[in-house]
Amino acid sequence: MTTSFSGRSTDRRTFLSLLGTGAAATVGGGLLGGCSNATKTSQGSAGQKSGLSAVVPQYKPYAGLTPDIPAAAPGALPGYLRYPRDLIKAVPTVRGKGSELTVMSPLWGSPPASTNAYYAAIAARTGTPLKWNVQDGNTYRDKLTALLGAADVPDVLVIASWHLGIPRISEAIANLFADLTPMLKGDISGHWPLLANIPTDAWQSCVWGGQLKAIPWVRQAFTGYFMYRKDLFQELGVTPPKNADELLALAKAVTDPAKGRWAFNDLWQKGGGPIPQIFRVPIRNRGWVKDPSGKMVSGLETDEFEAGVAFARKLFDAKVVHPAAAGGTSGSVDFRQAFQSGKIVITSDGFGGIREAYAVQSLSNPAFRMEPFPPFAHDGKTPVVNGGDTAGLLTFVNKKLPKDKIEEYLTLADWCSAPFGTEENLLLTYGVEGTHFTRDANGAPSYTAQGQKDAGVPTYDFLGGRPPVVSESQYPDYVQMLTSWYNNAVKYLDKDMFAGIRIEEPAALQKAGQPVVDKVNDIIFGRRPVSDLEQIRKEWRSAGGDEGRAFYEKVVKDNNL
């Protein structure tokens, strides 16, 4: 989650949120070879919202498989209750010309072998072999900083959206990566129909300085879920809350330290967890809101933030939070495992975390059920549900590649964008039948041990974009549950006034954020009084918060927001 005062999260939880599946060093002088349309990051920079539609592909929905459960509104997810036996062949022929391209991408987990049957099968199907350099996602930011600073990038580079805070990233993008606008603007459905199926707002997140510079990997509208163990709620005779008081009462009812069971782990999560959402703390708009006078106000400065912090402290004082959370980290406790085993009954996780839990628990605990809470606000009134960047990952192409090789890569990216229900998506997701997956009696695929190693970790998946769906048909109740939740929650999705504007915050504002995270955690976990919050705000304002306010007020003025 990202706010202007909390910094960016780069851990496995963020990755699983993304999937639906530290301080940065300064970039060195290797980028100074060309000019940029952006201001130096020390002062911050922002693009313009106007003109974006002229440089991105025209959205042309792909007529694919009809869902069993349609999406009720934009942002909701369609669902599939069975795996299709008759798949669509979206790309009839092998279109690559045999050019080997080098690719670097992040992964939070064990990487596949550099050569494997999955890579070979996709290379044969597409005609474009890739040489992969899969890097540890936990250190990827540092790797990117060094790579971009040395101006030494591969043919294709995947960057997560939360890594875009690297200093002088706009300058790096301008100097090192190809302008894809001439090839991709307008109607591309005749040549690359699957890229044309990517939603417009995801493409707009890939524009820098009036140029389309990347291909987006599309994620769900919501990046975090406030979830509970429905099976344990039924066993304990409790129901989901409708306001903050009911949440506290519920937490006290389910907590039993003698049985090793607590209500929660950390629900504040550096300002990106469910408590700020319940209290309507501004998180969208990069953590800023405009007051009636037109002045920009940080979420940190709001009454909602103070009320949320006070409530988080109240939960800690009530001893309903797992004691290992008090340091602000999980320590030796794996909270995902603690939730699955029932040691905590309420948690916050990403879309991929829900899928992971169902996959693991279905083997040993068929009664296991987890659901997101229906959206609620602290006062029982209209809730707000926070979303995230539509483009969770962005793929850039080295500008030194000749045009024919760039176009060949775009052809590969088109193949990688094949949606659920196509032959291409089956190969992309599961690999080769018999080697990487087998089917159950209903035709649904599941990984073999080799398939989990080769295809079960995302590599090719990140190179294209496709509208997200709920397709885990082996868990029909899961599909029903999640699509129903989305169809309801999308009504409360918080809008982002800065959507489509490429922003790099001033360095002072970014630097001022991390001390706030640590100091607020000290309040929440009983090491400082809530009354210290006002002093923390003052320190933040003088350290860079007021500079950030002036920056965002200019962004608002320049874009008539």
Side-chain angles (χ1 to χ4, degrees), residues 17 24 58 67 70 89 116 155 177 181 198 233 251 259 265 296 331 333 344 350 360 400 403 407 429 484 504 536:
S17 298
Q58 183 181 346
K89 192 165 188 174
N116 60 67
D155 298 330
F177 301 111
T181 312
I198 296 175
F233 268 43
K259 294 182 179 179
N265 53 329
M296 295 302 290
V333 176
I344 56 173
V360 171
K400 293 181 180 179
K403 182 181 178 182
E407 290 181 339
T429 306
S484 296
E504 292 176 44
I536 294 170

Side-chain angles (χ1 to χ4, degrees), residues 215-558:
I215 299 167
W217 182 92
V218 186
R219 66 176 172 186
Q220 299 78 17
F222 305 105
T223 57
Y225 303 83
F226 189 20
M227 297 179 296
Y228 68 103
R229 283 286 302 271
K230 184 176 182 178
D231 53 331
L232 295 182
F233 268 43
Q234 292 172 339
E235 180 182 319
L236 297 169
V238 294
T239 56
K242 296 182 176 64
N243 55 53
D245 289 340
E246 289 185 11
L247 178 62
L248 177 58
L250 165 66
K252 291 177 178 178
V254 301
T255 297
D256 189 342
K259 294 182 179 179
R261 185 178 69 230
W262 286 266
F264 318 112
N265 53 329
D266 174 14
L267 295 186
W268 182 260
Q269 295 174 350
K270 302 180 181 180
I275 289 178
Q277 179 171 280
I278 292 168
F279 281 82
R280 303 191 193 92
V281 177
I283 292 178
R284 288 292 259 176
N285 308 326
R286 301 183 70 88
W288 293 83
V289 292
K290 186 166 60 171
D291 73 9
S293 71
K295 178 183 177 181
M296 295 302 290
V297 178
S298 168
L300 172 64
E301 301 172 293
T302 62
D303 293 341
E304 291 85 354
F305 187 93
E306 185 168 355
V309 169
F311 182 74
R313 173 63 174 269
K314 185 182 291 188
L315 294 180
F316 178 77
D317 289 342
K319 301 186 186 306
V320 296
V321 177
H322 193 291
T329 63
S330 62
S332 59
V333 176
D334 181 341
F335 281 121
R336 185 171 288 108
Q337 178 56 40
F339 178 72
Q340 292 182 26
S341 65
K343 294 185 184 299
I344 56 173
V345 298
I346 300 168
T347 192
S348 179
D349 207 339
F351 186 89
I354 305 176
R355 293 194 309 191
E356 180 184 87
Y358 263 81
V360 171
Q361 291 299 316
S362 65
L363 302 176
S364 58
N365 182 13
F368 176 89
R369 292 293 181 273
M370 62 188 288
E371 290 191 9
F373 281 125
F376 68 95
H378 69 99
D379 54 5
K381 297 179 181 179
T382 304
V384 167
V385 185
N386 298 311
D389 296 332
T390 309
L393 293 150
L394 299 91
T395 299
F396 298 85
V397 182
N398 193 321
K399 70 186 304 181
K400 293 181 180 179
L401 286 179
K403 182 181 178 182
D404 62 330
K405 285 197 174 185
I406 294 176
E407 290 181 339
E408 182 171 359
Y409 177 73
L410 295 178
T411 298
L412 173 66
D414 184 70
W415 187 93
C416 292
S417 299
F420 178 77
T422 63
E423 293 181 5
E424 294 77 12
N425 186 265
L426 176 63
L427 176 56
L428 178 83
T429 306
Y430 288 100
V432 178
E433 186 168 6
T435 300
H436 298 112
F437 73 90
T438 57
R439 297 179 186 267
D440 64 16
N442 296 317
S446 61
Y447 291 114
T448 63
Q450 187 63 41
Q452 189 63 59
K453 292 178 182 178
D454 293 352
V457 294
T459 52
Y460 274 96
D461 179 79
F462 286 163
L463 301 186
R466 63 209 65 82
V469 300
V470 185
S471 60
E472 289 73 14
S473 58
Q474 62 270 46
Y475 316 118
D477 60 330
Y478 166 89
V479 177
Q480 292 277 10
M481 172 270 294
L482 201 55
T483 52
S484 296
W485 184 87
Y486 256 85
N487 281 337
N488 176 44
V490 75
K491 295 181 292 187
Y492 308 111
L493 179 63
D494 200 10
K495 304 299 182 182
D496 183 359
M497 75 164 73
F498 298 124
I501 302 175
R502 177 57 56 195
I503 291 175
E504 292 176 44
E505 294 178 337
L509 178 60
Q510 296 181 41
K511 187 177 180 180
Q514 186 56 49
V516 173
V517 173
D518 298 335
K519 292 170 186 176
V520 170
N521 271 354
D522 284 343
I523 293 176
I524 290 169
F525 294 115
R527 297 184 287 268
R528 296 179 67 158
V530 176
S531 59
D532 277 5
L533 183 58
E534 187 51 43
Q535 180 61 33
I536 294 170
R537 287 165 166 165
K538 290 179 180 177
E539 294 167 355
W540 171 82
R541 291 184 187 111
S542 62
D546 283 337
E547 182 178 334
R549 187 189 327 280
F551 169 79
Y552 275 105
E553 286 175 350
K554 185 176 187 305
V555 175
V556 168
K557 181 180 179 181
D558 290 347

Side-chain angles (χ1 to χ4, degrees), residues 161-185:
S161 60
W162 63 87
H163 288 141
L164 293 174
I166 293 173
R168 296 172 65 184
I169 187 72
S170 290
E171 193 172 350
I173 290 170
N175 292 334
L176 301 178
F177 301 111
D179 176 14
L180 305 178
T181 312
M183 289 167 271
L184 291 179
K185 70 177 180 180

